[in-house]
Structure formats: structure tokens, C-alpha cells
């Protein structure tokens, strides 16, 4: 196990160095692109009669349980680190569009994508049960704008859009995982439960995660208030994340939602009222570094997964059609949020100008989708959905991730970033 961890960290570090030194793409996108190039080179050498690199890399990747590592270790830490630096007052200012996108938006996207996928699969000659189509809709619904947030900020996106995308990304992962879990339970039971049963499962997972995260956050907040020692305070936050995520799994409540809520409490109340300047500096620095390292490892793993997945040209064509369906569903979910943002800002033109385009195109898909696809039951449906999900995620990160910055710059060139209600 130690050899595996060492090999993967070394490989990811080299890919990160190559991107920073030569390719110079945005960090997370660049690492994934570099890993993708490495995978293609390894496969090319194998075709030429030099399979050693591909074989060694495959052995490393096969030993990594992508789904377990992401959902158990990476996602709780990434969501906590993201929530740690989000201002609660900003979230309150745009709570309606964020809430719509992270809840109703996920449900709409799951239904729309699932229905479109059913007909798209039939178009390509694949007979896939509708429950699997809905599972695909649920797993591809959560957006993963980690790779694009730095681009949005540097490009000068107005505050409502940046805040909405950040807030949505923090909560819709948890909502999508809950919806996926419920659908997976229906598949495994082999029968459709009552609406009351489904509603109770959703409330138990989602609301339970929210309450559990609040209890964790306030509990650690009280402990932070009682000490002033940055080493212990950093360890308390670390224990909160990994211990809390493990306990959430035992209690069958949403770990992602719990980590977001706990991160918001520690990041706002904890940083302001329970930490000295020195402790704040160390806690912030520690979680920023953890965030960057885990993102590099995650996106390198996504790029390297290409070595294991069998693809045919039909998969690639179908994935591009499905990618279009995902964008259509995204468009249908952002319209209500933009309407609420307009009302919230008094109908100012700055809200409506380009908001739908940015929110639609900025909804990248990422590692959570791949991890959920990997957790599907073994079978032909899993193999098909996994390959298609992987291609959709790859094209989303590369195509949308690399073009969202120029789009934002072109739409908002010369406009002040604080054009909309920045006094909240």
C-alpha cells in the first residue's frame, strides 16, 4: 500500500511539474491534460511494441479504488476546504438561486438527462433500463467547478455569478449523491418504493447530514474557543473532516452536506471568534495546501483512468450527444435561478447579461460523476455508463474549463466586478 501511494504521488508531482514548467494550463485542468497525454503516449508506445510503461501504470491505477478514495477521503476534505473560505453573508444574499440549483436543479437535471439518455441509448442500439438512465442522470448532475473558479475570479465574473457557482458546487454534490443512493437502492431492491419511503430517505440523508454537520461544526467551535495552540487547532479540523465523514457513513446521513455545513461554521464563526491571527493563518494555509494537493491527485487520476477503460468510436460519438443533453438540462435548471437573481437585484441589467450562458457553460462535470459511475453494480450497463461518463467528464473539463475564462472576459470586459449588490 505504501509503495502504491508513493508511486502515485511521485507520478502526480511529475505531471504537475510538467504542466507548470511547459504547458502552463490552469493547475487542475493542466494536471488532468498532462495525465491524459501521458496515457495516450503510454498506449502509443504499447502499440509500437514497448508496453512496459502502460503495464506499470495500469498496475498502479488498478490497485486504486477511485470511488472509495474520492467519496471517503477526497470529497469530504475538498468540500470542507471549499466551504472554509465562503462568506456566509454572501450565501445568504444569493440563497434562493443557490438553493434552487442545488436541490430542485439536481432533481430536474436527473429527470431530464435520464429521459434524454433513454432515447439516446436506443438511438445507438443499446437497450438500457430506465432506472439506469436515471442513475446516469443523477451521477452526471453535480457540477464540479473547482477547476474553473480561479479562472472565473481572474476573468472578472460579477459577484452574483461567482457566489452562485461556488454555493451550488458546495451543496449539489451532496444532493446528487443522496438522489443517486436512493435510485441505487431502488435498483437493488428490484421494486419501486412508495413516495413516502423515498421522501423519508431523502430527508434522512439530506436533512440528517445538515444537522450532523451543524453539530460537528459547533462542537469543534467550542473546542477551538477553549485553546490557543495552532497545532492542536489544525488537528481538530482534520479530525472533524475525516472522523466526521466516517461517522456520517455509519449514521447513513450525507457526509458531503455535513462537511459543507461544518466548513461554513468553522470558516465563519471559528475563524472570526475562536482563532488568533496566528492560528487563522496556519489553518487557512493548511487547508489551502490540502485543497491544491488533493485536486492535483484527483485530476491526475481522472486523466490516468484512460489506461483502464475500453473505448470505441461509437462511445465517443454517443458521449458527445449525451454531453449536449447534459447542457440542455443545465440550461433548463439555471433559468429559474437567473430569474430569482434578477428579482433579488431589482432587475438590474448586470444580472441578466450573460448570466444564463455563464451558469450553463460553467457547470463542469468532474470526479464525483466518475466515482458514482464506478460504484454501479457490475455488469454491461455499468461498463457502458462508466465509459460514457468518463468521456463526458473529460470533454466537459477540457472544453468548458478552457473556454469559460475567455467567455467571462468577453462578456464582462470593462464592467466592475461588484456591479451587483456588493454591499451585502
Amino acid at each position: 500500500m505504501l509503495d502504491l501511494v508513493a508511486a502515485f504521488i511521485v507520478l502526480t508531482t511529475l505531471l504537475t511539474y510538467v504542466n507548470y514548467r511547459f504547458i502552463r494550463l490552469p493547475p487542475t485542468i493542466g494536471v488532468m491534460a498532462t495525465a491524459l497525454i501521458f496515457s495516450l503516449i503510454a498506449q502509443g508506445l504499447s502499440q509500437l511494441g514497448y508496453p512496459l510503461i502502460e503495464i506499470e501504470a495500469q498496475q498502479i491505477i488498478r490497485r486504486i479504488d477511485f470511488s472509495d478514495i474520492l467519496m471517503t477521503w477526497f470529497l469530504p476534505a475538498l468540500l470542507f476546504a471549499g466551504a472554509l473560505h465562503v462568506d456566509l453573508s454572501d450565501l445568504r444574499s444569493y440563497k434562493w438561486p443557490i438553493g434552487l440549483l442545488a436541490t430542485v436543479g439536481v432533481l430536474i437535471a436527473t429527470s431530464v438527462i435520464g429521459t434524454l439518455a433513454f432515447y439516446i441509448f436506443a438511438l445507438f442500439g443499446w437497450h438500457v433500463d430506465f432506472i439506469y438512465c436515471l442513475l446516469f442522470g443523477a451521477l452526471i448532475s453535480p457540477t464540479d467547478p473547482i477547476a474553473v473558479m480561479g479562472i472565473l475570479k481572474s476573468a472578472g465574473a460579477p459577484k452574483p455569478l461567482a457566489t452562485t457557482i461556488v454555493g451550488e458546487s458546495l451543496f449539489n454534490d451532496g444532493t446528487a449523491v443522496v438522489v443517486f443512493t436512493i435510485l441505487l437502492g431502488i435498483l437493488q431492491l428490484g421494486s419501486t418504493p412508495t413516495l413516502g419511503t423515498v421522501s423519508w430517505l431523502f430527508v434522512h440523508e439530506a436533512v440528517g447530514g445538515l444537522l450532523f454537520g451543524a453539530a460537528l461544526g459547533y462542537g469543534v467551535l467550542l473546542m477551538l474557543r477553549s485553546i490557543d495552540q495552532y497545532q492542536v487547532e489544525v488537528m481538530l479540523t482534520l479530525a472533524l473532516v475525516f472522523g466526521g465523514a466516517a461517522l456520517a457513513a455509519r449514521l447513513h446521513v450525507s457526509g458531503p452536506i455535513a462537511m459543507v455545513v461544518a466548513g461554513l461554521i468553522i470558516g465563519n464563526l471559528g475563524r472570526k471568534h475562536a482563532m488568533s491571527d496566528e492560528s487563522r493563518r496556519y489553518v487557512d494555509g493548511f487547508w489551502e495546501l490540502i485543497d491544491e494537493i488533493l485536486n492535483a491527485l484527483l485530476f491526475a487520476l481522472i486523466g490516468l483512468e484512460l489506461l483502464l477503460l475500453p473505448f470505441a468510436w461509437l462511445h465517443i460519438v454517443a458521449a458527445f450527444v449525451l454531453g449536449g443533453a447534459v447542457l440542455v438540462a443545465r440550461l433548463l435548471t439555471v433559468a429559474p435561478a437567473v430569474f430569482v437573481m434578477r428579482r433579488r437585484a431589482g432587475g438590474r441589467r448586470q444580472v441578466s447579461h450573460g448570466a444564463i450562458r455563464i451558469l450553463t457553460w460553467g457547470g463542469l462535470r468532474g470526479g464525483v460523476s466518475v466515482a458514482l459511475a464506478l460504484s454501479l453494480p457490475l455488469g454491461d450497463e455499468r461498463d457502458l455508463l462508466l465509459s460514457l461518463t468518463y468521456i463526458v467528464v473529460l470533454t466537459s473539463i477540457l472544453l468548458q474549463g478552457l473556454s469559460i475564462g475567455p467567455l467571462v472576459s468577453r462578456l464582462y470586459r470593462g464592467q466592475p466586478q461588484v456591479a451587483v449588490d456588493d454591499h451585502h
Side-chain angles (χ1 to χ4, degrees), residues 5-24 27 30-35 38 53 60 296-297 300 304:
V5 173
F8 185 55
I9 289 176
V10 168
L11 184 55
T12 301
T13 303
L14 291 175
L15 295 173
T16 306
Y17 173 81
V18 169
N19 174 64
Y20 184 82
R21 179 70 176 83
F22 302 107
I23 301 177
R24 297 189 176 278
V31 170
M32 194 198 75
T34 309
F38 173 83
I53 294 177
I60 294 173
L297 292 169
L304 292 170

Side-chain angles (χ1 to χ4, degrees), residues 120 124 126 312-324 388 391:
I120 291 170
F124 284 88
W126 297 316
W313 283 109
L314 195 61
H315 289 141
I316 296 173
V317 175
F320 272 92
V321 176
L322 286 169
L388 295 173
I391 301 171

Side-chain angles (χ1 to χ4, degrees), residues 90 93-94 158-160 163 348 416-424:
D90 286 342
S93 298
Y94 309 107
K159 191 173 184 180
T163 303
R348 297 188 204 176
Q417 293 185 34
V418 291
V420 182
D421 283 349
D422 200 30
H423 59 274
H424 285 290

